[in-house]
Amino acid sequence: MDYLKLDKAKLVNTEYSLKKEFIRTNRAGSFASSTIINCNTRKYHGLLICPIDNFGGENHLLLSSLDETLIQHGAPFHLGIHKFPGEYSPKGHKYIREYGIDTIPALTYRVGGIVLKKELLLVEKEQRVLIRYTLLEANSPTIIRFQPFLAFRNIHSLTKANMDANTRSKIVSNGVGLKLYDGFPFLYMQTSKKSDFIHVPDWYYNVEYREEKKRGYDCHEDLFVPGYFEMEIKKGEPIVFSAGTEQVSPNAIAKQFNNELKKRVARDSFENCLANSADQFISRKGKETSIINGFPWFSTSERNTYLALPGLSLARNKEKVFLDILNASYDKIMNRFSYATSLNKGNESVDVPLWFFWTLQKYVEFGADKAELWKKYGKRIKEIFQYYKFGSNLAIIMHENGLLWTIKQGVTWMKIQNNGKFLNRRMGYVVELNALWYNAICFALEMAEEAKDEKFAEEWKDIPEKIKEAFLSTFWDDKKAYLSDYVDDTHKSWAVRPNQLFAVSLPHSCLSDNQKKSILDIIEKELLTPRGLRTLSPKNHEYIGIFKGNEFERNSAFHYGSVFPWLFGHFAEAYLKLYKENGEEKIQELLDGFEECLHERGLGSISQIYDGNPPHKPNEATSYALSVAEIIRVSKLLNQSSFK
C-alpha cells in the first residue's frame, strides 16, 4: 500500500488532481514537474527542464509534455490532457485509475480492456528523462503513439509560434533530434523499441497554465509538435521513451531505466520522504556541489545555502556533502563580503556572512575542531569583521556601542518589494542582524582562543559585553517582555515578528533565560502554527492571513502573516534548550503534524510558505529546501542527548 495517499476516486476530478504536483530531479541539475495527471498548470512544469551552459546555466524547458494515444481496431484513445481557454483537450485523465509515487511517479490507465502503466524517472548524471510504458492487459493488437510537445525556452518565460524556430528534425537510431533555436543543445527523442516517426510539424496554440493565470501572469503559450512516434506494443512488454541532450543506444535504454530504478529510495515513510526530498536539492555540476533553493522556479542563493546546509547534510550524517557544498560556496560567497570587495560593490545581503558562522557552529556540534576551523577560515573571518566594523558603501557599520547599523532597506531575509519599493522598512538597528553579530563574535573568539590567536582575541574580546548591554537597552522592553523588530532614527517597531527568535535560538545570546521564556511565550501565542511561524502577529492591523492574488497582492502578504516552516527549526531548538526533556513532547507533536504536508501539494515534500489563517493552505514553491532541511534538523534535535 502506498504511503503517499491519494483518493483514487478523485483522480479524474481536476479540482482535486490539479492541486497535487510531483517533482523529480537528478544530480545534473535537471528536473521534471507536473500535476499528477500530467496536465501542466505552470510555465515551470515540464518533463525535461535542465540548465543550459550557453545561457548562463539557467534552467530551460525542452520537453513540455508527451501525449500518448492507444489504438485498437483503428479507434484512438487519447491519454494526454491540456488546458486551453474554456476547455480541456484531450481529456485523457478520465482513463486514470491509479497513481503511485512511493518510488517513482507511476500512472495506470484503463481504456476498456486495455490497462497501461506509465513510469517516469530522470537519469542521475545526465540531462535525460526516461518514461516506461508497460501494457498490463490487452485483448486485441494495440498500437501506442507518442506525441512530444516542445518549448525550448527559459523557465521564466513563455514561447509563441514563430518563424525563427528550426522545425527540421534529424533522424537518429530509433528516433529524431531537434534543436529549435541556436544556443540550445539538440533534444534527442528515442525509443527502446524500433518505431516509426511520422513527421507532421505543427504548433499548438494557447496552451493555458491556470496557476500562472491565478498569479496574474501571462498564462498562454504555443508549443511545437514535430510529429509522432508509433509502434505496436504487446501485453507484458515494456517500451521506454528517452529524451535527452545526448544520443543513446536504443538497446541500452531499457537497461538504463532498470539500473536507475534500483538507485531510488522508497518514499514509504515520513523519514524516507524527507530524505528523498532533501537529496533532490543537492545539485552536482562538474566538481561543484550546490543547493537548489526549491522547485520549480528557484536556483541557488547564498543565504539559503547556509541556512539549509546543516539540515540537508549534517543532520543526515552526510559530512562529505556538507564539506563539498561549503567548500564550493565559501570563496564565492565570502569574496562578495570581504572588506576590500565591499568598498566597491556594497553588497546588500549583509546578514549572509553572519549565517556562515551559525553553519560552522553546527559543524562544531557535529564534531569539528574549532582550532582547525580557525586555521582554515580565520583570515577571511577577520576581513569579514572589518567589513562590519568600518562599513561598506555606507550600507552597514558598527556603532560605538558595538551594534550594527544599516541605512539601507532590504538587507535581511525580509526584503520583498512592490514596484521597486520595500514593503518592510527594517532599517537602523535590526534585531536578528545584531543577534547574529553578537553570536558571530563570541564564536570567533572561541575559535581564536582554541587556535591561540591572541592578537585577534585582544582586539575583539571587549566587544561582546558592549553589544550585550546595547542590545538589551535598544531592543528589550520590560513591560512588553519581548524584543523590538528594529529601531531607526524615528521609529521603534514593536510589531510581533519571528526575527526576535534568533536572539533566543542562536548558541550565544544576549538574553537571560527568563527573557528567552518570555519571548517564546509570545511567539507561541501569536506566531506559532502547525505549519511553522507567522511572519507577523494576527493582532497587528497590517496582518494578511491569506496568500493569494496577483504579484502585488502576494508580495504584500509574504512577510505580513504568511507562515514559514523553516522558522519552526529555530523555535524548536530554542524551546528544547530551555525546557530540555520537558519540551520534547510538544516539539514532537508539532513535528509529527508536518507529515500531513507531504500529501497536500508537492507530494513527498514541504512547500515554501503557508497561509497565516487556518487551515494554513500551502503556497509558492511546491518543494522548498529550507522547509525540508529544518524539519529534518528538528527530528535530529529530538534525538540528541544534549537535551535529555
Side-chain angles (χ1 to χ4, degrees):
M1 184 177 179
D2 287 346
Y3 166 74
L4 292 168
K5 300 176 180 63
L6 293 171
D7 190 335
K8 294 180 182 179
K10 292 183 179 180
L11 288 175
V12 297
N13 181 346
T14 54
E15 285 307 306
Y16 172 83
S17 55
L18 293 184
K19 294 176 181 177
K20 310 288 185 182
E21 303 179 39
F22 74 86
I23 299 281
R24 293 283 83 190
T25 74
N26 67 12
R27 301 298 169 262
S30 300
F31 71 94
S33 176
S34 188
T35 61
I36 59 174
I37 59 173
N38 290 330
C39 179
N40 294 342
T41 59
R42 304 179 187 275
K43 60 187 174 186
Y44 303 100
H45 281 163
L47 295 179
L48 185 60
I49 299 163
C50 54
I52 305 296
D53 290 337
N54 287 344
F55 303 123
E58 292 187 0
N59 283 331
H60 285 69
L61 171 60
L62 301 182
L63 178 62
S64 177
S65 58
L66 185 69
D67 281 16
E68 307 86 7
T69 300
L70 293 173
I71 303 171
Q72 276 193 346
H73 306 297
F77 300 92
H78 304 291
L79 307 186
I81 175 172
H82 299 274
K83 178 71 170 66
F84 295 94
E87 66 172 339
Y88 289 94
S89 178
K91 298 179 180 179
H93 66 295
K94 64 185 177 182
Y95 300 119
I96 296 174
R97 293 298 176 264
E98 290 186 16
Y99 182 86
I101 198 172
D102 273 13
T103 304
I104 58 175
L107 276 169
T108 301
Y109 298 86
R110 177 178 286 277
V111 183
I114 307 173
V115 179
L116 181 75
K117 186 174 184 179
K118 173 183 177 180
E119 302 166 284
L120 177 147
L121 59 75
L122 290 165
V123 177
E124 185 178 20
K125 297 180 181 179
E126 299 179 29
Q127 314 288 13
R128 184 180 309 285
V129 63
L130 300 177
I131 307 173
R132 182 170 70 181
Y133 298 87
T134 307
L135 191 62
L136 302 179
E137 296 289 343
N139 299 322
S140 304
T142 306
I143 292 173
I144 191 167
R145 180 181 293 170
F146 303 133
Q147 188 179 36
F149 287 69
L150 309 183
F152 277 74
R153 60 162 172 83
N154 187 288
I155 60 168
H156 301 297
S157 61
L158 293 171
T159 190
K160 301 293 182 182
N162 63 86
M163 299 298 292
D164 295 326
N166 180 1
T167 60
R168 295 189 301 272
S169 58
K170 69 175 184 178
I171 302 300
V172 298
S173 185
N174 282 17
V176 295
L178 287 100
K179 182 171 75 169
L180 295 190
Y181 308 105
D182 290 341
F184 282 90
F186 269 91
L187 178 66
Y188 294 98
M189 295 174 287
Q190 300 168 270
T191 57
S192 60
K193 181 179 180 178
K194 186 171 178 56
S195 60
D196 294 322
F197 179 74
I198 291 80
H199 184 67
V200 191
D202 200 5
W203 287 92
Y204 279 65
Y205 298 93
N206 289 323
V207 176
E208 184 174 285
Y209 303 121
R210 75 172 207 167
E211 290 302 316
E212 303 306 323
K213 188 175 183 178
K214 286 181 183 178
R215 290 159 61 85
Y217 297 138
D218 185 5
C219 62
H220 295 105
E221 175 163 56
D222 304 334
L223 295 172
F224 177 70
V225 175
Y228 59 87
F229 299 83
E230 189 172 278
M231 73 208 78
E232 183 181 0
I233 184 170
K234 297 178 180 179
K235 182 178 177 179
E237 178 184 25
I239 294 176
V240 182
F241 178 90
S242 166
T245 56
E246 299 288 342
Q247 290 188 54
V248 65
S249 169
N251 295 331
I253 294 176
K255 183 179 180 181
Q256 187 176 43
F257 188 98
N258 290 329
N259 289 339
E260 291 291 333
L261 186 58
K262 293 175 184 176
K263 301 175 186 177
R264 300 303 185 264
V265 176
R267 291 191 281 184
D268 54 5
S269 67
F270 185 33
E271 294 75 17
N272 281 350
C273 279
L274 291 175
N276 191 293
S277 185
D279 285 338
Q280 291 195 117
F281 301 115
I282 309 301
S283 174
R284 294 179 176 87
K285 189 174 182 181
K287 295 182 179 180
E288 184 172 312
T289 307
S290 61
I291 292 175
I292 305 297
N293 285 359
F295 294 99
W297 54 73
F298 283 109
S299 56
T300 63
S301 74
E302 298 152 348
R303 181 184 295 108
N304 281 27
T305 292
Y306 288 137
L307 282 167
L309 186 52
L312 297 182
S313 58
L314 298 179
R316 302 170 61 216
N317 296 316
K318 292 181 176 287
E319 184 178 11
K320 186 179 185 304
V321 171
F322 176 86
L323 291 174
D324 286 346
I325 294 172
L326 191 70
N327 292 334
S329 63
Y330 175 71
D331 285 336
K332 180 169 58 178
I333 293 174
M334 289 304 168
N335 276 337
R336 296 187 61 199
F337 293 96
S338 66
Y339 179 57
T341 305
S342 66
L343 289 176
N344 297 318
K345 282 195 169 184
N347 192 279
E348 293 183 350
S349 298
V350 296
D351 61 330
V352 172
L354 301 180
W355 282 115
F356 168 75
F357 289 89
W358 177 80
T359 304
L360 282 187
Q361 286 172 308
K362 296 300 145 187
Y363 192 32
V364 169
E365 292 174 12
F366 185 81
D369 182 81
K370 293 178 184 177
E372 290 300 316
L373 291 178
W374 187 255
K375 289 177 184 178
K376 184 172 183 178
Y377 301 113
K379 181 180 178 181
R380 301 303 298 277
I381 287 173
K382 293 174 185 177
E383 279 195 32
I384 295 299
F385 278 18
Q386 295 304 308
Y387 162 82
Y388 289 110
K389 188 174 184 179
F390 296 109
S392 164
N393 233 9
L394 300 180
I396 190 167
I397 193 169
M398 186 182 83
H399 277 177
E400 187 64 31
N401 61 8
L403 295 181
L404 295 180
W405 175 273
T406 175
I407 63 169
K408 284 190 176 183
Q409 299 179 63
V411 298
T412 69
W413 75 284
M414 283 191 171
K415 57 177 183 179
I416 291 291
Q417 299 182 58
N418 264 338
N419 299 325
K421 181 180 179 181
F422 287 103
L423 299 178
N424 197 322
R425 181 174 171 82
R426 304 200 81 229
M427 297 169 59
Y429 295 131
V430 179
V431 66
E432 82 274 15
L433 189 60
N434 281 285
L436 285 162
W437 176 231
Y438 176 81
N439 176 68
I441 295 176
C442 291
F443 179 54
L445 286 168
E446 287 179 353
M447 290 189 288
E449 183 180 351
E450 292 282 338
K452 296 181 170 50
D453 188 337
E454 296 178 359
K455 183 178 180 181
F456 176 85
E458 182 63 28
E459 180 182 356
W460 289 90
K461 64 182 176 64
D462 296 329
I463 302 297
E465 192 58 37
K466 184 183 291 188
I467 294 174
K468 184 175 182 178
E469 182 180 344
F471 185 91
L472 292 173
S473 63
T474 300
F475 295 106
W476 178 258
D477 183 277
D478 285 331
K479 292 182 179 179
K480 289 183 171 62
Y482 65 93
L483 296 171
S484 170
D485 192 51
Y486 67 90
V487 180
D488 62 22
D489 287 327
T490 61
H491 179 66
K492 179 176 282 195
S493 172
W494 288 107
V496 176
R497 291 188 177 274
N499 301 303
Q500 61 185 309
L501 172 63
F502 302 115
V504 184
S505 66
L506 290 168
H508 296 284
S509 172
C510 298
L511 305 172
S512 68
D513 281 355
N514 285 335
Q515 288 170 323
K516 291 177 181 178
K517 289 178 181 177
S518 179
I519 290 170
L520 288 181
D521 282 345
I522 195 166
I523 287 175
E524 185 175 352
K525 290 174 183 176
E526 300 188 27
L527 303 181
L528 183 65
T529 78
R531 294 293 179 264
L533 268 59
R534 296 184 179 96
T535 43
L536 183 65
S537 168
K539 295 181 179 181
N540 193 293
H541 71 280
E542 293 185 295
Y543 172 79
I544 302 174
I546 303 295
F547 187 89
K548 65 178 182 179
N550 58 31
E551 184 176 10
F552 186 94
E553 292 168 325
R554 296 194 318 277
N555 285 349
S556 299
F558 203 73
H559 290 144
Y560 281 83
S562 295
V563 172
F564 284 77
W566 73 269
L567 293 169
F568 172 64
H570 294 270
F571 175 84
E573 185 167 22
Y575 201 88
L576 290 171
K577 282 180 181 178
L578 276 175
Y579 296 104
K580 297 181 170 55
E581 65 271 12
N582 293 328
E584 289 181 1
E585 183 177 354
K586 180 179 186 62
I587 298 302
Q588 184 67 60
E589 182 181 352
L590 288 165
L591 176 64
D592 292 342
F594 280 92
E595 190 167 7
E596 296 175 359
C597 298
L598 307 184
H599 310 271
E600 289 178 334
R601 185 168 174 246
L603 297 181
S605 193
I606 303 174
S607 294
Q608 182 182 3
I609 64 171
Y610 292 76
D611 286 346
N613 288 352
H616 307 295
K617 292 181 179 180
N619 284 292
E620 289 299 272
T622 54
S623 181
Y624 197 59
L626 251 179
S627 300
V628 173
E630 284 299 275
I631 299 308
I632 292 174
R633 196 169 71 86
V634 171
S635 181
K636 182 74 171 181
L637 286 171
L638 284 167
N639 294 319
Q640 286 183 346
S641 60
S642 60
F643 296 124
K644 301 295 182 183

